[in-house]
Amino acid sequence: MALTPIFMYHHVADFSESTPLKSLFVTPHRFQQQMALMYRLGYKGLSMRELQPYLTGEKQGRVFGITFDDGYVDNLENALPVLQKYGFSSTCYLVAGMLGKENVWDKELKDPHALMSVEQVDQWLQGGQDIGAHTVQHVNLKQVAMKLAEQQIKGSKELLENKFNRTITDFCYPYGACSEELACVVGRYGFITATTTERRVANSCKDSPLLLPRLFITNKTTVFKLSWYLIKSIFLRFGSRG
C-alpha cells in the first residue's frame, strides 16, 4: 500500500489579520520552513505528473505531492525560488480562462489577487514546475448542469494544451466539489489524476486517482503540525501491514 501526502496550497504571500480567507495564505517564510523540513527528512517534492507512479504503487520512495490551486502570481514570485532551491517540482492548477486576470470568483470579498499570465506561466514551466487544469472559470461543478460541467472540464484541458503546447494530465475540482459522476467525466476527457479538498493522506488501495485527498496547508500549519501529519502517515503505513 502506498500512502502519499499531497500538500494543497493557494497563496504563498504575507497577509494581515483583516485579509479575507486568510486560511488560504502561507507566508513565504513558513513555506521555506516547510520545504526545508521535508528536504531534511529525506522527502522529494513532486508534481502530480511525477507523483502518479507512486500513487499507483508502481514506484516507491519518500515522496510527497505539492499543489497550488488557482495560479496566483505570488506562487511564481515566492514559491518558485524555494522549490528550485530544494530541487522540488509541483503542479499549479490554472483557471484556464482567467490567465492574466484576477480571482473574480471571490469578488464579493473585494480582495483581488493577480493570476499568472501566459508569460508568467511560461516562467513557471521553465523553472521546472508543472501545470494542471482547474476548469475554465473556477466553476462549482456540482452547482451547474452536467453539460456545462463537461464544457468546463474539457475546455480547460484544451485551452491549456493549446496555449502551452503540452499534454495536461492533472485536474483539480474547484471548491472541492466532486462526485463519482464528475470523476468519470474527468477521466473520459483524458486526465490521469484529479485532486479534491478532502483532508487526509492519499491511499493507493482505497482512493481513485481521480478523487485524491490532500492535506490543506493553512496559515496555521507549523512545521510541528506538518511533522505530525507525516508521523501519522508512517503509523498508518506500518499498521496496515498487520
Side-chain angles (χ1 to χ4, degrees):
M1 176 177 69
L3 290 169
T4 309
I6 303 172
F7 292 2
M8 173 176 59
Y9 292 96
H10 288 77
H11 294 277
V12 179
D14 292 316
F15 61 94
S16 68
E17 283 305 307
S18 62
T19 299
L21 299 177
K22 59 180 178 287
S23 65
L24 301 183
F25 285 73
V26 173
T27 66
H29 176 67
R30 183 157 285 181
F31 183 75
Q32 152 69 30
Q33 288 181 321
Q34 292 166 354
M35 295 300 105
L37 171 68
M38 300 304 289
Y39 182 82
R40 287 196 296 268
L41 292 176
Y43 279 84
K44 175 77 170 179
L46 297 178
S47 67
M48 293 306 298
R49 191 188 304 266
E50 294 180 317
L51 193 68
Q52 195 269 335
Y54 294 92
L55 292 168
T56 61
E58 296 170 44
K59 289 185 177 181
Q60 294 185 351
R62 190 170 290 187
V63 298
F64 70 107
I66 306 175
T67 63
F68 299 90
D69 290 13
D70 303 335
Y72 295 104
V73 171
D74 59 59
N75 298 168
L76 177 70
E77 295 174 341
N78 299 325
L80 178 59
V82 178
L83 295 169
Q84 291 178 315
K85 176 180 178 179
Y86 295 107
F88 292 170
S89 61
S90 67
T91 296
C92 189
Y93 294 115
L94 303 174
V95 184
M98 302 298 296
L99 301 182
K101 299 180 182 179
E102 296 177 339
N103 53 324
V104 296
W105 54 90
D106 291 328
K107 61 183 178 181
E108 71 279 3
L109 300 175
K110 298 180 180 179
D111 187 38
H113 296 280
L115 301 168
M116 282 191 275
S117 65
V118 171
E119 293 74 22
Q120 288 169 321
V121 174
D122 280 333
Q123 293 176 41
W124 176 261
L125 293 169
Q126 291 164 12
Q129 309 307 307
D130 202 4
I131 56 174
H134 202 36
T135 71
V136 178
Q137 295 165 319
H138 204 279
V139 169
N140 186 319
L141 297 172
K142 294 182 73 174
Q143 294 183 355
V144 298
M146 185 54 67
K147 183 177 181 180
L148 178 55
E150 291 191 16
Q151 291 171 352
Q152 288 283 323
I153 294 166
K154 180 184 179 183
S156 62
K157 190 176 196 296
E158 291 177 344
L159 280 171
L160 294 176
E161 289 183 340
N162 289 335
K163 285 180 184 294
F164 300 106
N165 193 30
R166 62 195 292 118
T167 301
I168 303 297
T169 61
D170 308 293
F171 184 81
C172 178
Y173 303 93
Y175 309 104
C178 56
S179 66
E180 292 285 352
E181 185 179 12
L182 286 168
C184 288
V185 174
V186 169
R188 186 163 71 244
Y189 286 117
F191 291 101
I192 297 174
T193 76
T195 51
T196 72
T197 56
E198 185 178 356
R199 302 182 187 189
R200 58 181 176 82
V201 173
N203 182 332
S204 64
C205 292
K206 298 180 180 179
D207 294 317
S208 162
L210 297 175
L211 289 167
L212 292 167
R214 293 182 290 174
L215 298 176
F216 182 19
I217 310 301
T218 76
N219 62 18
K220 296 183 179 179
T221 306
T222 64
V223 291
F224 301 105
K225 189 171 184 178
L226 205 57
S227 299
W228 176 237
Y229 284 153
L230 299 175
I231 290 169
K232 285 197 298 183
S233 70
I234 291 170
F235 279 136
L236 285 170
R237 181 178 291 114
F238 281 102
S240 69
R241 295 178 180 177

